[in-house]
Amino acid sequence: DTAVSQTPKYLVTQMGNDKSIKCEQNLGHDTMYWYKQDSKKFLKIMFSYNNKELIINETVPNRFSPKSPDKAHLNLHINSLELGDSAVYFCASNPGSGGAQDTQYFGPGTRLTVL
Amino acid sequence: GENVEQHPSTLSVQEGDSAVIKCTYSDSASNYFPWYKQELGKGPQLIIDIRSNVGEKKDQRIAVTLNKTAKHFSLHITETQPEDSAVYFCALASGGSYIPTFGRGTSLIVHP
């Protein structure tokens, strides 16, 4: 079974809409992340949560709001979508006991296309 | 924050050849150095990692070497196969940080 799962896999929407991406991990990890991967494959970290608490917000516009209802879930809500938000978004987790010094387990990604 | 430079951005080899990807960094506090492989349409997956107290680590056809003095680490793939074709990312982290830093990726193409 997939350790880190994301839904949906593909998301096509119009500019100005609000959309959410869901992420769940069944590994019992304490730390979860959201990454954005642009068309040049650059992986940029957006947020990091540890035990449902926000640890890092890497200068992401406040149109992006992560929500962690419990430590197995980290959802990403995006308001007023813009063309530049088109990218692949990856959720990831790690055990958290070593901070970033542990393996990152990535989900399969959500390809967001804003028209 | 930490910086890491990854080279080359694209690497094309013939099946059976070796491939080497190198990353250099600036923060001497970095002490964890993983390598991830991303196949088309999938998320990155860890293939090998090394910590600062070790100079080299091997796992079958894959090896990673670390030179802490010169601040660089490299991924070596021997006897490449077409299924090794993917984007490879180096990354690093230091103690107490929750933010890993990723290189910009190397697209490896193995021609049969």
Side-chain angles (χ1 to χ4, degrees):
Chain A
D1 285 356
T2 305
V4 181
S5 58
Q6 295 178 230
T7 53
K9 175 103 173 135
Y10 300 97
L11 187 51
V12 181
T13 189
Q14 298 286 333
M15 240 182 358
N17 284 350
D18 304 338
K19 289 292 178 188
S20 292
I21 307 172
K22 295 187 175 181
C23 177
E24 176 182 2
Q25 54 95 2
N26 61 7
L27 297 164
H29 288 170
D30 288 340
T31 306
M32 296 183 73
Y33 302 82
W34 276 107
Y35 289 84
K36 178 180 180 181
Q37 186 173 49
D38 61 23
S39 57
K40 294 184 179 178
K41 300 292 187 183
F42 181 50
L43 272 169
K44 180 177 166 53
I45 193 164
M46 300 173 70
F47 300 100
S48 170
Y49 267 70
N50 182 262
N51 274 318
K52 304 192 302 173
E53 299 289 329
L54 177 66
I55 302 294
I56 302 293
N57 176 343
E58 285 290 297
T59 60
V60 176
N62 56 16
R63 296 183 297 105
F64 291 79
S65 51
K67 294 264 189 318
S68 183
D70 55 63
K71 75 173 195 176
H73 296 83
L74 181 62
N75 304 323
L76 185 64
H77 188 76
I78 316 170
N79 288 329
S80 304
L81 278 155
E82 301 177 357
L83 293 176
D85 297 332
S86 295
V88 181
Y89 291 83
F90 287 101
C91 177
S93 72
N94 80 19
S97 55
Q101 296 177 292
D102 279 305
T103 304
Q104 297 269 311
Y105 292 81
F106 285 85
T110 296
R111 181 174 292 277
L112 171 65
T113 304
V114 182
L115 303 174
Chain B
E2 298 166 356
N3 286 314
V4 58
E5 291 195 11
Q6 182 172 346
H7 295 283
S9 56
T10 307
L11 182 56
S12 186
V13 300
Q14 288 296 127
E15 184 176 0
D17 287 352
S18 294
V20 181
I21 304 169
K22 184 176 177 179
C23 285
T24 57
Y25 62 98
S26 54
D27 187 353
S28 55
S30 301
N31 56 11
Y32 176 60
F33 308 90
W35 285 90
Y36 292 85
K37 176 183 181 182
Q38 185 178 20
E39 296 177 346
L40 198 61
K42 297 184 179 180
Q45 275 199 300
L46 181 81
I47 53 171
I48 196 166
D49 59 7
I50 194 167
R51 298 191 186 266
S52 58
N53 56 347
V54 176
E56 183 176 0
K57 186 175 177 181
K58 277 182 111 169
D59 182 3
Q60 299 183 336
R61 296 186 298 108
I62 292 170
V64 55
T65 57
L66 170 65
N67 185 326
K68 282 216 81 178
T69 305
K71 298 197 185 76
H72 62 74
F73 58 112
S74 299
L75 177 71
H76 305 254
I77 307 174
T78 57
E79 300 170 33
T80 53
Q81 300 166 2
E83 50 266 38
D84 294 330
S85 296
V87 178
Y88 291 81
F89 293 93
C90 66
L92 51 81
S94 56
S97 170
Y98 281 90
I99 308 177
T101 299
F102 282 81
R104 297 191 75 94
T106 296
S107 179
L108 174 64
I109 303 162
V110 181
H111 299 279

